[in-house]
């Protein structure tokens, strides 16, 4: 409470390796909120929203954009490529989405430049143990690296300062030297061309740019309801994920405040999103991966191809060790279990409930990637339901075995399931209170 008003913010966090269908849930929850905020990551994210039979794929613009009365904010923890953001804005406006009046960009957000793409391409090959991270090649890691390094970084607000041209000249000179040493071929980067292009982007983006930290604090203190949209998933968190096979921001619940500028104590609800199974796109260990007919079946039924890169996603069983870890790490209150329909044809299902490491049974998620590579999953087998569920309207309508499967996930993660999704459409969603008739 601040001056008699209730301060309330809800956050949506993916609990696996991304693509848990956060876009769908954020779009649904937007109905109960006034402001929706993206606060970390960048155009490595691809959030899908299906509305009125139309599919929208969002990279930077918050998934609340479809409700004109809702303000959408891209906060300071995000890294943005102005050209791709403008492309996204134009694409949405071209499809009739109202955007000019309800999008706001933080002047603190860091800007991605052409050298970041080059660095992403040159450095991803040289990662741990020879395995590439398999980044989305959107310049995300290199831009965050410059943010932390400070001297070669540019924030959105810097593009409107009188020394912007000289900053670009200085940085491009340093970057040309660095890229040369990294073995980049081709022409050196031309600072004049880059300045002109970015000056043009800056002018187009000017109406959206604001101090979003001040805006959000004012809004919260005035009792407006804020929804924070996590990108990626908690297992990709730079500090707490499967390092180095992670992204470059804090994508678990611990990153919300730093990225958004919203104090942790104002966040009143954390919603954790999981798929009913597990997927991963890119490199790194994945204990429950099914590199076999089952994985292929899940990929086909779930259309598991990257929203951003179209890469086939690696598919496997639900890993309750990993999801329990990220549920606790992110301080999750309730769960949304997505894509349950994808499992409908399988005669039996497995859930990983523990790992075996060096002959010992463990239930804590290993902190070192080498240990995670060596774990052997211990599975519990549950009967499937082999029934179409995409039309289910209430949780009680689901086959008994589907309900048992959900109960098991809820028990293992020690959290209630609030939402179950059985298809991409908004109508293919069940809320726990509906099942109880409330
Ligand atoms: P995000 O990055 O977490 O927003 O997830 P993505 O959009 O990358 O991937 C989720 C995909 O699953 C999208 O294509 C959604 O349209 C789709 N989807 C969402 N919920 C369901 C569901 O319950 N069942 C099925 N079959 N697909 C779903
Ligand atoms: P959404 O928000 C799935 C993965 C990449 C790679 C690693 C590092 O749609 O869930 P990066 O380009 O961030 O340096 O890549 O992280 N990755 C994602 N995987 N969903 C995402 O976003 C992802 N964003 C990054 O595949 O393994
Ligand atoms: Mg995605």
């Amino acid at each position: 409470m601040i001056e008699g008003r209730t301060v309330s913010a809800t956050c949506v966090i993916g609990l696996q390796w991304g693509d848990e269908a956060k876009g769908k849930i954020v779009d649904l929850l937007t109905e109960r909120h006034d402001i929706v905020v993206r606060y970390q990551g960048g155009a490595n994210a691809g959030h899908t929203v299906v509305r009125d039979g139309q599919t929208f794929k969002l990279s930077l613009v918050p998934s609340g954009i479809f409700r004109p009365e809702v303000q959408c904010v891209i906060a300071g923890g995000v890294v943005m490529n102005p050209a791709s953001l403008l492309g996204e804005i134009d694409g949405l406006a071209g499809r009739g989405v109202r955007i000019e009046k309800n999008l706001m960009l933080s002047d603190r957000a860091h800007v991605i430049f052409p050298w970041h793409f080059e660095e992403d391409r040159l450095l991803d090959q040289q990662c741990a143990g020879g395995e590439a991270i398999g980044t989305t090649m959107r310049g995300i890691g290199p831009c965050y690296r410059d943010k932390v390094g400070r001297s070669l970084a540019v924030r959105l607000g810097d593009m409107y300062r009188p020394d912007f041209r000289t900053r670009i000249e200085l940085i491009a000179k340093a970057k040309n030297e660095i890229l040369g040493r990294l073995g980049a071929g081709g022409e050196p980067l031309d600072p004049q061309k880059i300045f002109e292009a970015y000056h043009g982007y800056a002018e187009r983006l000017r109406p959206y740019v604001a101090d979003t930290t001040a805006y959000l604090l004012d809004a919260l203190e005035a009792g407006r309801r804020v929804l924070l949209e996590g990108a990626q998933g908690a297992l990709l968190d730079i500090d707490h994920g499967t390092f180095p096979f992670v992204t470059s921001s804090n994508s678990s619940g611990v990153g919300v405040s730093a990225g958004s500028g919203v104090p942790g104590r104002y966040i009143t609800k954390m919603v954790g999103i999981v798929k009913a199974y597990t997927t991963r796109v890119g490199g790194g260990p994945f204990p429950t991966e099914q590199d076999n007919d089952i994985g292929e079946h899940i990929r086909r039924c779930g259309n598991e191809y990257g929203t951003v890169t179209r890469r086939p996603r690696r598919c496997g069983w639900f890993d309750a060790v990993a999801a329990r870890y990220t549920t606790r790490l992110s301080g999750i209150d309730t769960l949304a279990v997505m894509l349950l329909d994808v499992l409908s044809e399988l005669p039996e299902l497995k859930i990983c409930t523990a790992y075996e490491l060096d002959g010992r049974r463990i239930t804590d998620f290993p902190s070192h990637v080498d240990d995670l590579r060596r774990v052997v999953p211990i599975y519990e087998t549950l009967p499937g339901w082999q029934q179409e569920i995409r039309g289910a309207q209430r949780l009680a309508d689901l086959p008994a075995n589907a309900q048992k499967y959900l109960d098991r996930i809820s028990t293992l993660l020690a959290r209630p399931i609030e939402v179950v999704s059985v298809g991409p459409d908004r109508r293919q969603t069940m809320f726990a209170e509906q099942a109880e008739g409330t």
Side-chain angles (χ1 to χ4, degrees):
M1 293 281 270
I2 289 183
E3 291 173 358
R5 288 190 204 89
T6 306
V7 177
S8 118
T10 300
C11 186
V12 167
I13 294 284
L15 297 179
Q16 294 159 319
W17 279 290
D19 304 324
E20 298 88 352
K22 299 174 289 294
K24 171 171 172 171
I25 290 295
V26 169
D27 172 49
L28 284 163
L29 294 183
T30 295
E31 287 171 15
R32 302 182 217 158
H33 293 86
D34 304 305
I35 300 170
V36 182
V37 188
R38 265 289 305 274
Y39 57 87
Q40 46 72 227
N44 48 352
H47 295 184
T48 311
V49 175
V50 179
R51 288 180 73 94
D52 304 325
Q54 284 200 72
T55 300
F56 295 89
K57 294 191 182 294
L58 300 162
S59 288
L60 275 164
V61 175
S63 302
I65 198 68
F66 303 99
R67 294 186 80 87
E69 70 281 12
V70 166
Q71 184 67 42
C72 284
V73 172
I74 302 183
V78 165
V79 289
M80 65 170 79
N81 169 9
S84 87
L85 176 59
L86 284 163
E88 195 174 334
I89 290 174
D90 290 345
L92 287 165
R95 293 176 72 183
V97 179
R98 196 186 93 143
I99 200 153
E100 325 85 63
K101 295 246 167 13
N102 49 346
L103 180 66
M104 198 182 275
L105 312 176
S106 171
D107 56 359
R108 291 180 173 87
H110 281 251
V111 181
I112 298 178
F113 284 89
W115 45 80
H116 293 132
F117 288 94
E118 276 292 288
E119 288 172 15
D120 217 354
R121 186 177 65 80
L122 291 164
L123 288 170
D124 190 29
Q125 311 308 321
Q126 304 168 21
C127 200
E131 185 181 359
I133 297 171
T135 78
T136 57
M137 295 289 157
R138 297 297 188 271
I140 306 293
C143 184
Y144 276 119
R145 180 162 49 229
D146 282 341
K147 166 179 169 168
V148 178
R150 291 150 296 155
S151 47
L152 302 179
V154 176
R155 307 206 295 184
L156 201 50
D158 298 332
M159 302 212 292
Y160 304 98
R161 301 284 154 174
D163 66 345
F164 181 44
R165 185 193 290 268
T166 42
R167 288 277 305 143
I168 295 280
E169 283 165 1
L170 271 169
I171 297 172
K173 187 162 174 279
K175 288 292 184 180
N176 275 329
E177 280 171 28
I178 293 166
L179 290 171
R181 282 203 296 273
L182 288 173
E187 291 287 299
L189 298 160
D190 179 343
Q192 282 322 313
K193 273 197 192 145
I194 295 174
F195 169 75
E196 272 153 36
Y198 276 70
H199 178 66
Y201 303 145
E203 286 312 310
R204 280 203 59 202
L205 290 176
R206 194 188 278 274
Y208 303 104
V209 180
D211 178 350
T212 63
T213 308
Y215 171 80
L216 288 173
L217 291 173
D218 285 346
L220 281 158
E221 288 167 10
R224 298 184 76 198
R225 297 157 305 170
V226 172
L227 179 61
L228 297 141
E229 175 176 4
Q232 289 81 53
L235 294 171
L236 290 169
D237 187 288
I238 180 73
D239 289 305
H240 304 282
T242 51
F243 190 88
F245 300 97
V246 290
T247 191
S248 303
S249 62
N250 285 114
S251 50
S252 72
V254 303
V256 189
S257 287
S260 62
V262 172
R265 59 190 293 268
Y266 290 180
I267 300 165
T268 41
K269 186 169 180 185
M270 298 291 286
V271 180
I273 319 277
V274 288
K275 285 181 178 175
Y277 47 94
T278 311
T279 64
R280 174 164 209 175
V281 53
F286 176 178
T288 61
E289 181 169 17
Q290 298 299 299
D291 192 9
N292 54 28
D293 288 353
I294 290 181
E296 187 52 47
H297 175 86
I298 293 174
R299 186 174 308 113
R300 186 168 43 77
C301 296
N303 189 24
E304 292 292 359
Y305 294 89
T307 306
V308 174
T309 57
R310 297 308 299 157
R311 286 177 291 178
R313 294 180 184 144
R314 300 156 64 192
C315 299
W317 296 122
F318 188 82
D319 185 341
V321 178
R324 179 174 160 273
Y325 163 60
T326 51
T327 297
R328 297 171 67 208
L329 172 72
S330 298
I332 296 302
D333 296 301
T334 64
L335 298 168
V337 180
M338 313 301 284
L339 295 107
L340 187 68
D341 54 300
V342 173
L343 300 180
S344 289
E345 285 175 29
L346 293 166
E348 57 181 35
L349 306 169
K350 292 190 178 175
I351 295 181
C352 170
T353 54
Y355 297 148
E356 193 183 300
L357 180 63
D358 299 330
R360 276 192 323 119
R361 185 180 181 279
I362 58 167
T363 50
D364 282 334
F365 193 70
S367 55
H368 201 286
V369 81
D370 288 348
D371 291 336
L372 191 62
R373 278 192 203 288
R374 291 187 303 118
V375 301
V376 179
I378 300 172
Y379 289 111
E380 199 172 284
T381 303
L382 287 90
W385 45 92
Q386 296 185 284
Q387 237 174 290
E388 180 58 81
I389 59 170
R390 281 177 288 193
Q393 293 295 303
R394 297 158 60 93
L395 292 177
D397 295 344
L398 288 172
N401 285 347
Q403 293 189 37
K404 278 187 199 144
Y405 185 77
L406 292 170
D407 285 348
R408 196 64 191 123
I409 289 179
S410 176
T411 303
L412 287 163
L413 272 47
R415 297 294 185 280
I417 295 175
E418 192 183 10
V419 183
V420 175
S421 173
V422 290
D425 197 86
R426 293 163 62 84
R427 283 163 300 195
Q428 292 170 303
T429 320
M430 290 167 277
F431 291 88
E433 67 260 24
Q434 269 178 12
E436 288 148 19
T438 52

